[in-house]
Amino acid sequence: MENKLLMAHQVAGYPEDETAITAAEALIAGGTGILEVQLAFSDPSADGVAIQTACSTVLSKGYTVKQGLEYISKIRKLHPEIPVFLMTYGCLVYRPGVENFVKMAHDAGVSGLIVPDLPFDCDEGLTAACKKYGMHNIPVAAPSMTEERLNKMATAGFKYIYTALRAGITGTKTVITDEMLNFIDKAAVGGSIILGGFGISTGEQSKALAPHVTGVIAGSVFVNLITSNYDPANLEESRKKIYDAVKAKAEELTKPLK
């Protein structure tokens, strides 16, 4: 994976499956190279207001993990050329059994798992289960890590590493600094493919990150566009607005990566 790409995040089932599919189509049409699909969770540790609200909306309808995986299957059937990485939290992985969860994800067409609250070196068997099913466990590196621990992760042989540009939660504005870029470069010393994000919302930010990562990650910006344009009383019109807005933003973020 030498070409630069956009990894775009969405919450499965938000605001409902058909509109979520519309948003996914727009992301792909806008140049997204990897879809990161999140399973809604009630007590997230890394999500900001936009994604927390989306998760709460989905969960209030009784949306389940099974439905989330079925949503991913739909995307994969529509776009088998686009890898899907599943983002979730340890509780949802651990409850059915780590290997059982990984198998279910694999059967749905998932290529990689991002579980931010499972440490890379104490992951309840997640990495081993992913290897068994031909998937990737994608650990999350944060600037709060010690250099020793970051180097341990960087040289542990993971194909991908997700680098969070700052501590805290997603969605709030990120000002990219030399310190952040230096952190990303340290995460890359072992040869892993680096995916970088947290608060990315503009082409200017994407351009600043591009020399240091293979994949620029954006999420809350798309969730906000879905939320602001969604009108359940006028679904056809609102889906068109969502498609146009999401596609335009994806194009803005991917342009510096070409």
Side-chain angles (χ1 to χ4, degrees):
M1 186 179 290
E2 296 180 356
N3 296 331
K4 307 290 183 175
L5 54 80
L6 172 67
M7 183 166 89
H9 180 109
Q10 67 170 177
V11 177
Y14 181 72
E16 26 73 15
D17 274 358
E18 289 305 312
T19 302
I21 291 277
T22 298
E25 294 281 5
L27 289 169
I28 293 167
T32 293
I34 300 173
L35 279 177
E36 179 191 5
V37 179
Q38 176 172 347
L39 297 179
F41 184 57
S42 59
D43 190 23
S45 58
D47 298 325
V49 173
I51 294 177
Q52 283 187 34
T53 301
C55 287
S56 295
T57 299
V58 170
L59 291 172
S60 71
K61 299 176 182 179
Y63 201 83
T64 64
V65 168
K66 180 181 177 182
Q67 287 174 297
L69 294 174
E70 288 171 349
Y71 171 79
I72 291 172
S73 286
K74 291 177 187 176
I75 296 293
R76 294 289 290 133
K77 287 173 184 174
L78 289 168
H79 293 280
E81 77 284 4
I82 301 295
V84 173
F85 291 169
L86 174 60
M87 182 265 174
T88 189
Y89 288 94
C91 180
L92 295 184
V93 176
Y94 190 79
R95 184 174 181 181
V98 172
E99 186 169 330
N100 287 337
F101 183 92
V102 172
K103 183 182 185 303
M104 290 189 297
H106 168 266
D107 291 347
V110 172
S111 300
L113 283 173
I114 302 166
V115 188
D117 57 345
L118 278 183
F120 75 96
D121 52 356
C122 187
D123 66 5
E124 303 292 343
L126 181 62
T127 298
C130 284
K131 286 181 179 178
K132 178 176 178 178
Y133 289 97
M135 294 167 55
H136 300 287
N137 178 26
I138 303 167
V140 178
S144 56
M145 297 174 74
T146 64
E147 290 213 13
E148 179 183 3
R149 186 164 175 75
L150 178 61
N151 186 68
K152 184 179 178 183
M153 177 189 286
T155 57
F158 292 103
K159 182 172 182 178
Y160 300 92
I161 292 177
Y162 182 127
T163 54
L165 298 181
R166 52 174 171 71
I169 56 175
T170 61
T172 55
K173 186 176 179 180
T174 296
V175 177
I176 296 172
T177 64
D178 289 341
E179 185 177 9
M180 288 178 182
L181 298 178
N182 183 50
F183 157 70
I184 291 173
D185 292 342
K186 289 178 180 178
V189 298
S192 298
I193 295 170
I194 300 299
L195 310 168
F198 247 53
I200 300 302
S201 61
T202 68
E204 183 180 1
Q205 291 171 309
S206 185
K207 183 178 180 180
L209 276 182
H212 302 267
V213 302
T214 295
V216 171
I217 307 165
S220 294
V221 62
F222 296 121
V223 174
N224 282 328
L225 288 172
I226 293 168
T227 300
S228 61
N229 287 286
Y230 183 62
D231 179 2
N234 297 284
L235 279 176
E236 185 175 350
E237 182 181 351
S238 71
R239 285 173 183 161
K240 184 180 186 308
K241 288 181 179 179
I242 287 168
Y243 183 93
D244 291 343
V246 168
K247 180 174 179 285
K249 179 56 69 173
E251 289 173 338
E252 177 190 339
L253 294 173
T254 55
K255 186 176 180 181
L257 307 177
K258 295 177 180 178

